[in-house]
Amino acid sequence: MVKIAIVGCGNISGAHIGSYLKFADRCKIVALVDIFPEKAEASKEKFKLNDAKVFASHEEMLASGVEIDLVSNCTPPYVHAEISINCMNAGLNMLVEKPMATCLAECDAMLEAERKNGVILSCGAQNRFLSMITKLKQLADSGVAGAVRCAHVDSLWWRGHCYYDLWWRGTWEKEGGGPTLNHAVHQIDMINWIQGELPAEVTAVLSNVMHDNSECEDLSFAILKYKSGALANVTSSVVHHGGTQSIVLQCENAKIAAPFSVAAEKSKPNGFGESNPELEREITDKYNSFASREYEGFDGEIDDVLRAVETKSRPLITGEDGRKTVELITAIYKSGCLKQTVSLPLDKSDEFYTFDGILKNAVRFNKKTKSAEALGDNEITLGNF
């Protein structure tokens, strides 16, 4: 029985708790931690976690002697590294919410703690556990549509003005950035996974067009260029109505996408295109031949991390994966803040390698003037994937 601690009892923690409870035969939540203990108490009551102990800090939890195997770190990004490292130094396995950390230096310190202590570090990337994303990856790898030549990656959300009134949101120091870091992190993880490599160059533009209570961007556009010459564009937004997320891969022979769609054309003698229904059927049949996942989304990731702890194996989403995502996001921020094209990989001598360097160079669009401990409703939406 894997003993679980939840550190940080804000909105996203409910998704973690709900998934752990679906595997009650394999794990048990024994500790709930929040700097506002009433939030932890509320979670204890809501989910009927009668045996769980409540703590006001992770330090208090670690000093208590409560037996713990795995920690879900659901805190704001600026403390991901500190809490995760302290827990790993105590011999605990970690599932840290996205983003892994606010900078590459913190990611590397977390990876070192994982290696030094012989524990498991996994990062929140539950969308990889959606069948349509797994199948898109398998379809791209199969080569039936040809090599990817252009990708369109959309992380399109809408958030009201008061979203950034929450005390830790809307500041570089605590949130670490805007939707590029905290929303598009999922799509960026997925395109890294599908492509199997980071781009060679990044060119980006940042803006804040709707949320004057946030220092950070609420909209960014990034162009990624790969060694092959292939391009991808990533849109990260909390100003788009409709809450639509998608990944479209324009390949040599066809377009494939998640949510699943396919379109294929072949050339007429004059070079103009005409539909290729035979290839579309072949691609669709190939997609449908791939098995769906037993557990989707958060359930899939929790199942995977529990199995890694139980069998002392590697999870699908590793700390190295989390670092790659942070590296690409950091390159987007560097490009947008300095208004220049950025080459990857980023070196340790780069100012943007550290959080201090990011804070020094970050563009602050507005001044945050309101700081609420909590907003009126804990219900969250997760988009179409």
Side-chain angles (χ1 to χ4, degrees), residues 114-140:
E114 178 190 31
R115 285 189 290 268
K116 181 179 71 174
N117 295 290
V119 295
I120 293 166
L121 172 62
S122 186
C123 300
Q126 72 274 6
N127 286 338
R128 271 210 228 171
F129 292 87
L130 296 175
S131 292
M132 66 175 170
I133 300 301
T134 301
K135 290 183 176 186
L136 182 66
K137 164 69 170 170
Q138 292 173 311
L139 197 58

mmCIF file with all atom_site columns, all heavy atoms in Angstrom, residues 114-140:
data_model
loop_
_atom_site.group_PDB
_atom_site.id
_atom_site.type_symbol
_atom_site.label_atom_id
_atom_site.label_alt_id
_atom_site.label_comp_id
_atom_site.label_asym_id
_atom_site.label_entity_id
_atom_site.label_seq_id
_atom_site.pdbx_PDB_ins_code
_atom_site.Cartn_x
_atom_site.Cartn_y
_atom_site.Cartn_z
_atom_site.occupancy
_atom_site.B_iso_or_equiv
_atom_site.pdbx_formal_charge
_atom_site.auth_seq_id
_atom_site.auth_comp_id
_atom_site.auth_asym_id
_atom_site.auth_atom_id
_atom_site.pdbx_PDB_model_num
ATOM 1   N N   . GLU A 1 114 ? 17.054 13.643 -6.956  1.00 0.00 ? 114 GLU A N   1
ATOM 2   C CA  . GLU A 1 114 ? 16.509 12.336 -7.333  1.00 0.00 ? 114 GLU A CA  1
ATOM 3   C C   . GLU A 1 114 ? 17.635 11.304 -7.427  1.00 0.00 ? 114 GLU A C   1
ATOM 4   O O   . GLU A 1 114 ? 17.529 10.199 -6.872  1.00 0.00 ? 114 GLU A O   1
ATOM 5   C CB  . GLU A 1 114 ? 15.781 12.439 -8.674  1.00 0.00 ? 114 GLU A CB  1
ATOM 6   C CG  . GLU A 1 114 ? 15.221 11.110 -9.154  1.00 0.00 ? 114 GLU A CG  1
ATOM 7   C CD  . GLU A 1 114 ? 14.717 11.150 -10.586 1.00 0.00 ? 114 GLU A CD  1
ATOM 8   O OE1 . GLU A 1 114 ? 15.277 11.919 -11.401 1.00 0.00 ? 114 GLU A OE1 1
ATOM 9   O OE2 . GLU A 1 114 ? 13.778 10.401 -10.899 1.00 0.00 ? 114 GLU A OE2 1
ATOM 10  N N   . ARG A 1 115 ? 18.723 11.660 -8.122  1.00 0.00 ? 115 ARG A N   1
ATOM 11  C CA  . ARG A 1 115 ? 19.836 10.727 -8.288  1.00 0.00 ? 115 ARG A CA  1
ATOM 12  C C   . ARG A 1 115 ? 20.491 10.397 -6.950  1.00 0.00 ? 115 ARG A C   1
ATOM 13  O O   . ARG A 1 115 ? 20.762 9.231  -6.641  1.00 0.00 ? 115 ARG A O   1
ATOM 14  C CB  . ARG A 1 115 ? 20.877 11.318 -9.244  1.00 0.00 ? 115 ARG A CB  1
ATOM 15  C CG  . ARG A 1 115 ? 20.469 11.295 -10.712 1.00 0.00 ? 115 ARG A CG  1
ATOM 16  C CD  . ARG A 1 115 ? 21.637 11.689 -11.610 1.00 0.00 ? 115 ARG A CD  1
ATOM 17  N NE  . ARG A 1 115 ? 21.962 13.105 -11.461 1.00 0.00 ? 115 ARG A NE  1
ATOM 18  C CZ  . ARG A 1 115 ? 21.451 14.075 -12.213 1.00 0.00 ? 115 ARG A CZ  1
ATOM 19  N NH1 . ARG A 1 115 ? 20.587 13.778 -13.172 1.00 0.00 ? 115 ARG A NH1 1
ATOM 20  N NH2 . ARG A 1 115 ? 21.806 15.327 -12.027 1.00 0.00 ? 115 ARG A NH2 1
ATOM 21  N N   . LYS A 1 116 ? 20.729 11.416 -6.160  1.00 0.00 ? 116 LYS A N   1
ATOM 22  C CA  . LYS A 1 116 ? 21.441 11.247 -4.887  1.00 0.00 ? 116 LYS A CA  1
ATOM 23  C C   . LYS A 1 116 ? 20.671 10.358 -3.920  1.00 0.00 ? 116 LYS A C   1
ATOM 24  O O   . LYS A 1 116 ? 21.273 9.562  -3.181  1.00 0.00 ? 116 LYS A O   1
ATOM 25  C CB  . LYS A 1 116 ? 21.675 12.626 -4.257  1.00 0.00 ? 116 LYS A CB  1
ATOM 26  C CG  . LYS A 1 116 ? 22.426 12.598 -2.929  1.00 0.00 ? 116 LYS A CG  1
ATOM 27  C CD  . LYS A 1 116 ? 22.640 14.001 -2.388  1.00 0.00 ? 116 LYS A CD  1
ATOM 28  C CE  . LYS A 1 116 ? 21.322 14.594 -1.903  1.00 0.00 ? 116 LYS A CE  1
ATOM 29  N NZ  . LYS A 1 116 ? 21.516 15.911 -1.233  1.00 0.00 ? 116 LYS A NZ  1
ATOM 30  N N   . ASN A 1 117 ? 19.357 10.463 -3.927  1.00 0.00 ? 117 ASN A N   1
ATOM 31  C CA  . ASN A 1 117 ? 18.551 9.761  -2.936  1.00 0.00 ? 117 ASN A CA  1
ATOM 32  C C   . ASN A 1 117 ? 17.916 8.475  -3.456  1.00 0.00 ? 117 ASN A C   1
ATOM 33  O O   . ASN A 1 117 ? 17.252 7.764  -2.690  1.00 0.00 ? 117 ASN A O   1
ATOM 34  C CB  . ASN A 1 117 ? 17.456 10.701 -2.410  1.00 0.00 ? 117 ASN A CB  1
ATOM 35  C CG  . ASN A 1 117 ? 18.027 11.879 -1.651  1.00 0.00 ? 117 ASN A CG  1
ATOM 36  O OD1 . ASN A 1 117 ? 18.557 11.727 -0.564  1.00 0.00 ? 117 ASN A OD1 1
ATOM 37  N ND2 . ASN A 1 117 ? 17.936 13.074 -2.234  1.00 0.00 ? 117 ASN A ND2 1
ATOM 38  N N   . GLY A 1 118 ? 18.114 8.195  -4.739  1.00 0.00 ? 118 GLY A N   1
ATOM 39  C CA  . GLY A 1 118 ? 17.583 6.954  -5.284  1.00 0.00 ? 118 GLY A CA  1
ATOM 40  C C   . GLY A 1 118 ? 16.069 6.873  -5.255  1.00 0.00 ? 118 GLY A C   1
ATOM 41  O O   . GLY A 1 118 ? 15.493 5.794  -5.032  1.00 0.00 ? 118 GLY A O   1
ATOM 42  N N   . VAL A 1 119 ? 15.420 8.000  -5.489  1.00 0.00 ? 119 VAL A N   1
ATOM 43  C CA  . VAL A 1 119 ? 13.955 8.053  -5.481  1.00 0.00 ? 119 VAL A CA  1
ATOM 44  C C   . VAL A 1 119 ? 13.451 8.321  -6.891  1.00 0.00 ? 119 VAL A C   1
ATOM 45  O O   . VAL A 1 119 ? 14.225 8.414  -7.839  1.00 0.00 ? 119 VAL A O   1
ATOM 46  C CB  . VAL A 1 119 ? 13.454 9.133  -4.492  1.00 0.00 ? 119 VAL A CB  1
ATOM 47  C CG1 . VAL A 1 119 ? 13.822 8.758  -3.060  1.00 0.00 ? 119 VAL A CG1 1
ATOM 48  C CG2 . VAL A 1 119 ? 14.015 10.510 -4.859  1.00 0.00 ? 119 VAL A CG2 1
ATOM 49  N N   . ILE A 1 120 ? 12.132 8.457  -7.018  1.00 0.00 ? 120 ILE A N   1
ATOM 50  C CA  . ILE A 1 120 ? 11.492 8.702  -8.310  1.00 0.00 ? 120 ILE A CA  1
ATOM 51  C C   . ILE A 1 120 ? 10.974 10.129 -8.350  1.00 0.00 ? 120 ILE A C   1
ATOM 52  O O   . ILE A 1 120 ? 10.333 10.601 -7.411  1.00 0.00 ? 120 ILE A O   1
ATOM 53  C CB  . ILE A 1 120 ? 10.333 7.721  -8.530  1.00 0.00 ? 120 ILE A CB  1
ATOM 54  C CG1 . ILE A 1 120 ? 10.857 6.292  -8.676  1.00 0.00 ? 120 ILE A CG1 1
ATOM 55  C CG2 . ILE A 1 120 ? 9.495  8.116  -9.752  1.00 0.00 ? 120 ILE A CG2 1
ATOM 56  C CD1 . ILE A 1 120 ? 9.788  5.238  -8.560  1.00 0.00 ? 120 ILE A CD1 1
ATOM 57  N N   . LEU A 1 121 ? 11.265 10.825 -9.441  1.00 0.00 ? 121 LEU A N   1
ATOM 58  C CA  . LEU A 1 121 ? 10.728 12.163 -9.689  1.00 0.00 ? 121 LEU A CA  1
ATOM 59  C C   . LEU A 1 121 ? 9.937  12.129 -10.986 1.00 0.00 ? 121 LEU A C   1
ATOM 60  O O   . LEU A 1 121 ? 10.476 11.811 -12.041 1.00 0.00 ? 121 LEU A O   1
ATOM 61  C CB  . LEU A 1 121 ? 11.868 13.184 -9.796  1.00 0.00 ? 121 LEU A CB  1
ATOM 62  C CG  . LEU A 1 121 ? 11.483 14.601 -10.245 1.00 0.00 ? 121 LEU A CG  1
ATOM 63  C CD1 . LEU A 1 121 ? 10.525 15.252 -9.261  1.00 0.00 ? 121 LEU A CD1 1
ATOM 64  C CD2 . LEU A 1 121 ? 12.741 15.459 -10.427 1.00 0.00 ? 121 LEU A CD2 1
ATOM 65  N N   . SER A 1 122 ? 8.652  12.441 -10.882 1.00 0.00 ? 122 SER A N   1
ATOM 66  C CA  . SER A 1 122 ? 7.799  12.516 -12.072 1.00 0.00 ? 122 SER A CA  1
ATOM 67  C C   . SER A 1 122 ? 7.123  13.881 -12.086 1.00 0.00 ? 122 SER A C   1
ATOM 68  O O   . SER A 1 122 ? 6.992  14.537 -11.048 1.00 0.00 ? 122 SER A O   1
ATOM 69  C CB  . SER A 1 122 ? 6.742  11.406 -12.053 1.00 0.00 ? 122 SER A CB  1
ATOM 70  O OG  . SER A 1 122 ? 6.005  11.399 -13.266 1.00 0.00 ? 122 SER A OG  1
ATOM 71  N N   . CYS A 1 123 ? 6.718  14.311 -13.273 1.00 0.00 ? 123 CYS A N   1
ATOM 72  C CA  . CYS A 1 123 ? 6.141  15.643 -13.443 1.00 0.00 ? 123 CYS A CA  1
ATOM 73  C C   . CYS A 1 123 ? 4.741  15.544 -14.036 1.00 0.00 ? 123 CYS A C   1
ATOM 74  O O   . CYS A 1 123 ? 4.468  14.683 -14.881 1.00 0.00 ? 123 CYS A O   1
ATOM 75  C CB  . CYS A 1 123 ? 7.025  16.499 -14.364 1.00 0.00 ? 123 CYS A CB  1
ATOM 76  S SG  . CYS A 1 123 ? 8.675  16.726 -13.737 1.00 0.00 ? 123 CYS A SG  1
ATOM 77  N N   . GLY A 1 124 ? 3.875  16.453 -13.609 1.00 0.00 ? 124 GLY A N   1
ATOM 78  C CA  . GLY A 1 124 ? 2.505  16.471 -14.087 1.00 0.00 ? 124 GLY A CA  1
ATOM 79  C C   . GLY A 1 124 ? 2.437  16.735 -15.588 1.00 0.00 ? 124 GLY A C   1
ATOM 80  O O   . GLY A 1 124 ? 2.824  17.808 -16.048 1.00 0.00 ? 124 GLY A O   1
ATOM 81  N N   . ALA A 1 125 ? 1.977  15.767 -16.340 1.00 0.00 ? 125 ALA A N   1
ATOM 82  C CA  . ALA A 1 125 ? 1.781  15.898 -17.795 1.00 0.00 ? 125 ALA A CA  1
ATOM 83  C C   . ALA A 1 125 ? 0.688  14.911 -18.190 1.00 0.00 ? 125 ALA A C   1
ATOM 84  O O   . ALA A 1 125 ? 0.879  14.058 -19.045 1.00 0.00 ? 125 ALA A O   1
ATOM 85  C CB  . ALA A 1 125 ? 3.078  15.646 -18.543 1.00 0.00 ? 125 ALA A CB  1
ATOM 86  N N   . GLN A 1 126 ? -0.469 15.058 -17.538 1.00 0.00 ? 126 GLN A N   1
ATOM 87  C CA  . GLN A 1 126 ? -1.520 14.045 -17.655 1.00 0.00 ? 126 GLN A CA  1
ATOM 88  C C   . GLN A 1 126 ? -2.099 13.914 -19.055 1.00 0.00 ? 126 GLN A C   1
ATOM 89  O O   . GLN A 1 126 ? -2.669 12.877 -19.399 1.00 0.00 ? 126 GLN A O   1
ATOM 90  C CB  . GLN A 1 126 ? -2.642 14.335 -16.647 1.00 0.00 ? 126 GLN A CB  1
ATOM 91  C CG  . GLN A 1 126 ? -3.512 15.537 -16.964 1.00 0.00 ? 126 GLN A CG  1
ATOM 92  C CD  . GLN A 1 126 ? -2.943 16.847 -16.440 1.00 0.00 ? 126 GLN A CD  1
ATOM 93  O OE1 . GLN A 1 126 ? -1.827 16.876 -15.925 1.00 0.00 ? 126 GLN A OE1 1
ATOM 94  N NE2 . GLN A 1 126 ? -3.721 17.922 -16.547 1.00 0.00 ? 126 GLN A NE2 1
ATOM 95  N N   . ASN A 1 127 ? -1.913 14.927 -19.892 1.00 0.00 ? 127 ASN A N   1
ATOM 96  C CA  . ASN A 1 127 ? -2.485 14.830 -21.235 1.00 0.00 ? 127 ASN A CA  1
ATOM 97  C C   . ASN A 1 127 ? -1.774 13.792 -22.101 1.00 0.00 ? 127 ASN A C   1
ATOM 98  O O   . ASN A 1 127 ? -2.342 13.311 -23.086 1.00 0.00 ? 127 ASN A O   1
ATOM 99  C CB  . ASN A 1 127 ? -2.464 16.200 -21.925 1.00 0.00 ? 127 ASN A CB  1
ATOM 100 C CG  . ASN A 1 127 ? -3.514 17.126 -21.353 1.00 0.00 ? 127 ASN A CG  1
ATOM 101 O OD1 . ASN A 1 127 ? -4.490 16.680 -20.762 1.00 0.00 ? 127 ASN A OD1 1
ATOM 102 N ND2 . ASN A 1 127 ? -3.320 18.420 -21.502 1.00 0.00 ? 127 ASN A ND2 1
ATOM 103 N N   . ARG A 1 128 ? -0.550 13.433 -21.749 1.00 0.00 ? 128 ARG A N   1
ATOM 104 C CA  . ARG A 1 128 ? 0.112  12.348 -22.466 1.00 0.00 ? 128 ARG A CA  1
ATOM 105 C C   . ARG A 1 128 ? -0.612 11.020 -22.252 1.00 0.00 ? 128 ARG A C   1
ATOM 106 O O   . ARG A 1 128 ? -0.403 10.067 -23.002 1.00 0.00 ? 128 ARG A O   1
ATOM 107 C CB  . ARG A 1 128 ? 1.565  12.210 -21.999 1.00 0.00 ? 128 ARG A CB  1
ATOM 108 C CG  . ARG A 1 128 ? 2.534  13.060 -22.775 1.00 0.00 ? 128 ARG A CG  1
ATOM 109 C CD  . ARG A 1 128 ? 3.881  12.351 -22.797 1.00 0.00 ? 128 ARG A CD  1
ATOM 110 N NE  . ARG A 1 128 ? 4.972  13.239 -22.446 1.00 0.00 ? 128 ARG A NE  1
ATOM 111 C CZ  . ARG A 1 128 ? 6.212  12.825 -22.232 1.00 0.00 ? 128 ARG A CZ  1
ATOM 112 N NH1 . ARG A 1 128 ? 6.500  11.543 -22.282 1.00 0.00 ? 128 ARG A NH1 1
ATOM 113 N NH2 . ARG A 1 128 ? 7.164  13.688 -21.936 1.00 0.00 ? 128 ARG A NH2 1
ATOM 114 N N   . PHE A 1 129 ? -1.427 10.985 -21.196 1.00 0.00 ? 129 PHE A N   1
ATOM 115 C CA  . PHE A 1 129 ? -2.155 9.756  -20.885 1.00 0.00 ? 129 PHE A CA  1
ATOM 116 C C   . PHE A 1 129 ? -3.559 9.756  -21.481 1.00 0.00 ? 129 PHE A C   1
ATOM 117 O O   . PHE A 1 129 ? -4.382 8.929  -21.102 1.00 0.00 ? 129 PHE A O   1
ATOM 118 C CB  . PHE A 1 129 ? -2.204 9.557  -19.364 1.00 0.00 ? 129 PHE A CB  1
ATOM 119 C CG  . PHE A 1 129 ? -0.863 9.264  -18.769 1.00 0.00 ? 129 PHE A CG  1
ATOM 120 C CD1 . PHE A 1 129 ? -0.017 10.286 -18.392 1.00 0.00 ? 129 PHE A CD1 1
ATOM 121 C CD2 . PHE A 1 129 ? -0.417 7.958  -18.622 1.00 0.00 ? 129 PHE A CD2 1
ATOM 122 C CE1 . PHE A 1 129 ? 1.236  10.026 -17.855 1.00 0.00 ? 129 PHE A CE1 1
ATOM 123 C CE2 . PHE A 1 129 ? 0.835  7.684  -18.101 1.00 0.00 ? 129 PHE A CE2 1
ATOM 124 C CZ  . PHE A 1 129 ? 1.669  8.729  -17.712 1.00 0.00 ? 129 PHE A CZ  1
ATOM 125 N N   . LEU A 1 130 ? -3.831 10.674 -22.395 1.00 0.00 ? 130 LEU A N   1
ATOM 126 C CA  . LEU A 1 130 ? -5.068 10.616 -23.159 1.00 0.00 ? 130 LEU A CA  1
ATOM 127 C C   . LEU A 1 130 ? -4.853 9.717  -24.372 1.00 0.00 ? 130 LEU A C   1
ATOM 128 O O   . LEU A 1 130 ? -3.830 9.817  -25.057 1.00 0.00 ? 130 LEU A O   1
ATOM 129 C CB  . LEU A 1 130 ? -5.482 12.013 -23.616 1.00 0.00 ? 130 LEU A CB  1
ATOM 130 C CG  . LEU A 1 130 ? -5.827 13.014 -22.502 1.00 0.00 ? 130 LEU A CG  1
ATOM 131 C CD1 . LEU A 1 130 ? -6.092 14.390 -23.104 1.00 0.00 ? 130 LEU A CD1 1
ATOM 132 C CD2 . LEU A 1 130 ? -7.020 12.547 -21.691 1.00 0.00 ? 130 LEU A CD2 1
ATOM 133 N N   . SER A 1 131 ? -5.801 8.857  -24.647 1.00 0.00 ? 131 SER A N   1
ATOM 134 C CA  . SER A 1 131 ? -5.643 7.913  -25.767 1.00 0.00 ? 131 SER A CA  1
ATOM 135 C C   . SER A 1 131 ? -5.391 8.649  -27.073 1.00 0.00 ? 131 SER A C   1
ATOM 136 O O   . SER A 1 131 ? -4.577 8.216  -27.894 1.00 0.00 ? 131 SER A O   1
ATOM 137 C CB  . SER A 1 131 ? -6.879 7.019  -25.885 1.00 0.00 ? 131 SER A CB  1
ATOM 138 O OG  . SER A 1 131 ? -6.966 6.150  -24.770 1.00 0.00 ? 131 SER A OG  1
ATOM 139 N N   . MET A 1 132 ? -6.074 9.781  -27.295 1.00 0.00 ? 132 MET A N   1
ATOM 140 C CA  . MET A 1 132 ? -5.906 10.467 -28.580 1.00 0.00 ? 132 MET A CA  1
ATOM 141 C C   . MET A 1 132 ? -4.494 11.034 -28.736 1.00 0.00 ? 132 MET A C   1
ATOM 142 O O   . MET A 1 132 ? -3.990 11.132 -29.860 1.00 0.00 ? 132 MET A O   1
ATOM 143 C CB  . MET A 1 132 ? -6.943 11.580 -28.743 1.00 0.00 ? 132 MET A CB  1
ATOM 144 C CG  . MET A 1 132 ? -6.817 12.729 -27.795 1.00 0.00 ? 132 MET A CG  1
ATOM 145 S SD  . MET A 1 132 ? -8.029 14.010 -28.223 1.00 0.00 ? 132 MET A SD  1
ATOM 146 C CE  . MET A 1 132 ? -7.884 15.090 -26.786 1.00 0.00 ? 132 MET A CE  1
ATOM 147 N N   . ILE A 1 133 ? -3.843 11.387 -27.632 1.00 0.00 ? 133 ILE A N   1
ATOM 148 C CA  . ILE A 1 133 ? -2.473 11.894 -27.714 1.00 0.00 ? 133 ILE A CA  1
ATOM 149 C C   . ILE A 1 133 ? -1.496 10.737 -27.917 1.00 0.00 ? 133 ILE A C   1
ATOM 150 O O   . ILE A 1 133 ? -0.577 10.810 -28.741 1.00 0.00 ? 133 ILE A O   1
ATOM 151 C CB  . ILE A 1 133 ? -2.115 12.704 -26.459 1.00 0.00 ? 133 ILE A CB  1
ATOM 152 C CG1 . ILE A 1 133 ? -3.063 13.899 -26.305 1.00 0.00 ? 133 ILE A CG1 1
ATOM 153 C CG2 . ILE A 1 133 ? -0.665 13.168 -26.516 1.00 0.00 ? 133 ILE A CG2 1
ATOM 154 C CD1 . ILE A 1 133 ? -3.060 14.856 -27.485 1.00 0.00 ? 133 ILE A CD1 1
ATOM 155 N N   . THR A 1 134 ? -1.694 9.651  -27.169 1.00 0.00 ? 134 THR A N   1
ATOM 156 C CA  . THR A 1 134 ? -0.851 8.472  -27.350 1.00 0.00 ? 134 THR A CA  1
ATOM 157 C C   . THR A 1 134 ? -0.950 7.951  -28.779 1.00 0.00 ? 134 THR A C   1
ATOM 158 O O   . THR A 1 134 ? 0.056  7.618  -29.415 1.00 0.00 ? 134 THR A O   1
ATOM 159 C CB  . THR A 1 134 ? -1.261 7.372  -26.368 1.00 0.00 ? 134 THR A CB  1
ATOM 160 O OG1 . THR A 1 134 ? -1.137 7.859  -25.035 1.00 0.00 ? 134 THR A OG1 1
ATOM 161 C CG2 . THR A 1 134 ? -0.391 6.134  -26.523 1.00 0.00 ? 134 THR A CG2 1
ATOM 162 N N   . LYS A 1 135 ? -2.170 7.910  -29.308 1.00 0.00 ? 135 LYS A N   1
ATOM 163 C CA  . LYS A 1 135 ? -2.369 7.418  -30.670 1.00 0.00 ? 135 LYS A CA  1
ATOM 164 C C   . LYS A 1 135 ? -1.763 8.362  -31.707 1.00 0.00 ? 135 LYS A C   1
ATOM 165 O O   . LYS A 1 135 ? -1.226 7.908  -32.726 1.00 0.00 ? 135 LYS A O   1
ATOM 166 C CB  . LYS A 1 135 ? -3.854 7.214  -30.944 1.00 0.00 ? 135 LYS A CB  1
ATOM 167 C CG  . LYS A 1 135 ? -4.469 6.040  -30.188 1.00 0.00 ? 135 LYS A CG  1
ATOM 168 C CD  . LYS A 1 135 ? -5.930 5.870  -30.578 1.00 0.00 ? 135 LYS A CD  1
ATOM 169 C CE  . LYS A 1 135 ? -6.545 4.656  -29.931 1.00 0.00 ? 135 LYS A CE  1
ATOM 170 N NZ  . LYS A 1 135 ? -7.926 4.402  -30.409 1.00 0.00 ? 135 LYS A NZ  1
ATOM 171 N N   . LEU A 1 136 ? -1.842 9.676  -31.450 1.00 0.00 ? 136 LEU A N   1
ATOM 172 C CA  . LEU A 1 136 ? -1.217 10.622 -32.378 1.00 0.00 ? 136 LEU A CA  1
ATOM 173 C C   . LEU A 1 136 ? 0.294  10.416 -32.405 1.00 0.00 ? 136 LEU A C   1
ATOM 174 O O   . LEU A 1 136 ? 0.913  10.440 -33.478 1.00 0.00 ? 136 LEU A O   1
ATOM 175 C CB  . LEU A 1 136 ? -1.548 12.062 -31.974 1.00 0.00 ? 136 LEU A CB  1
ATOM 176 C CG  . LEU A 1 136 ? -0.987 13.144 -32.905 1.00 0.00 ? 136 LEU A CG  1
ATOM 177 C CD1 . LEU A 1 136 ? -1.625 13.070 -34.280 1.00 0.00 ? 136 LEU A CD1 1
ATOM 178 C CD2 . LEU A 1 136 ? -1.179 14.540 -32.291 1.00 0.00 ? 136 LEU A CD2 1
ATOM 179 N N   . LYS A 1 137 ? 0.895  10.210 -31.243 1.00 0.00 ? 137 LYS A N   1
ATOM 180 C CA  . LYS A 1 137 ? 2.332  9.930  -31.171 1.00 0.00 ? 137 LYS A CA  1
ATOM 181 C C   . LYS A 1 137 ? 2.667  8.649  -31.940 1.00 0.00 ? 137 LYS A C   1
ATOM 182 O O   . LYS A 1 137 ? 3.618  8.607  -32.738 1.00 0.00 ? 137 LYS A O   1
ATOM 183 C CB  . LYS A 1 137 ? 2.748  9.804  -29.699 1.00 0.00 ? 137 LYS A CB  1
ATOM 184 C CG  . LYS A 1 137 ? 4.090  9.149  -29.423 1.00 0.00 ? 137 LYS A CG  1
ATOM 185 C CD  . LYS A 1 137 ? 5.262  9.980  -29.868 1.00 0.00 ? 137 LYS A CD  1
ATOM 186 C CE  . LYS A 1 137 ? 6.574  9.372  -29.346 1.00 0.00 ? 137 LYS A CE  1
ATOM 187 N NZ  . LYS A 1 137 ? 7.760  10.022 -29.963 1.00 0.00 ? 137 LYS A NZ  1
ATOM 188 N N   . GLN A 1 138 ? 1.870  7.596  -31.734 1.00 0.00 ? 138 GLN A N   1
ATOM 189 C CA  . GLN A 1 138 ? 2.115  6.329  -32.428 1.00 0.00 ? 138 GLN A CA  1
ATOM 190 C C   . GLN A 1 138 ? 1.930  6.487  -33.936 1.00 0.00 ? 138 GLN A C   1
ATOM 191 O O   . GLN A 1 138 ? 2.688  5.915  -34.728 1.00 0.00 ? 138 GLN A O   1
ATOM 192 C CB  . GLN A 1 138 ? 1.171  5.249  -31.884 1.00 0.00 ? 138 GLN A CB  1
ATOM 193 C CG  . GLN A 1 138 ? 1.463  4.845  -30.447 1.00 0.00 ? 138 GLN A CG  1
ATOM 194 C CD  . GLN A 1 138 ? 0.408  3.900  -29.883 1.00 0.00 ? 138 GLN A CD  1
ATOM 195 O OE1 . GLN A 1 138 ? -0.786 4.159  -29.990 1.00 0.00 ? 138 GLN A OE1 1
ATOM 196 N NE2 . GLN A 1 138 ? 0.849  2.817  -29.285 1.00 0.00 ? 138 GLN A NE2 1
ATOM 197 N N   . LEU A 1 139 ? 0.932  7.273  -34.326 1.00 0.00 ? 139 LEU A N   1
ATOM 198 C CA  . LEU A 1 139 ? 0.675  7.505  -35.745 1.00 0.00 ? 139 LEU A CA  1
ATOM 199 C C   . LEU A 1 139 ? 1.830  8.253  -36.389 1.00 0.00 ? 139 LEU A C   1
ATOM 200 O O   . LEU A 1 139 ? 2.291  7.902  -37.480 1.00 0.00 ? 139 LEU A O   1
ATOM 201 C CB  . LEU A 1 139 ? -0.629 8.289  -35.890 1.00 0.00 ? 139 LEU A CB  1
ATOM 202 C CG  . LEU A 1 139 ? -1.316 8.303  -37.254 1.00 0.00 ? 139 LEU A CG  1
ATOM 203 C CD1 . LEU A 1 139 ? -1.650 6.894  -37.724 1.00 0.00 ? 139 LEU A CD1 1
ATOM 204 C CD2 . LEU A 1 139 ? -2.578 9.162  -37.181 1.00 0.00 ? 139 LEU A CD2 1
ATOM 205 N N   . ALA A 1 140 ? 2.327  9.297  -35.691 1.00 0.00 ? 140 ALA A N   1
ATOM 206 C CA  . ALA A 1 140 ? 3.467  10.058 -36.218 1.00 0.00 ? 140 ALA A CA  1
ATOM 207 C C   . ALA A 1 140 ? 4.693  9.162  -36.333 1.00 0.00 ? 140 ALA A C   1
ATOM 208 O O   . ALA A 1 140 ? 5.431  9.205  -37.336 1.00 0.00 ? 140 ALA A O   1
ATOM 209 C CB  . ALA A 1 140 ? 3.749  11.254 -35.332 1.00 0.00 ? 140 ALA A CB  1
#
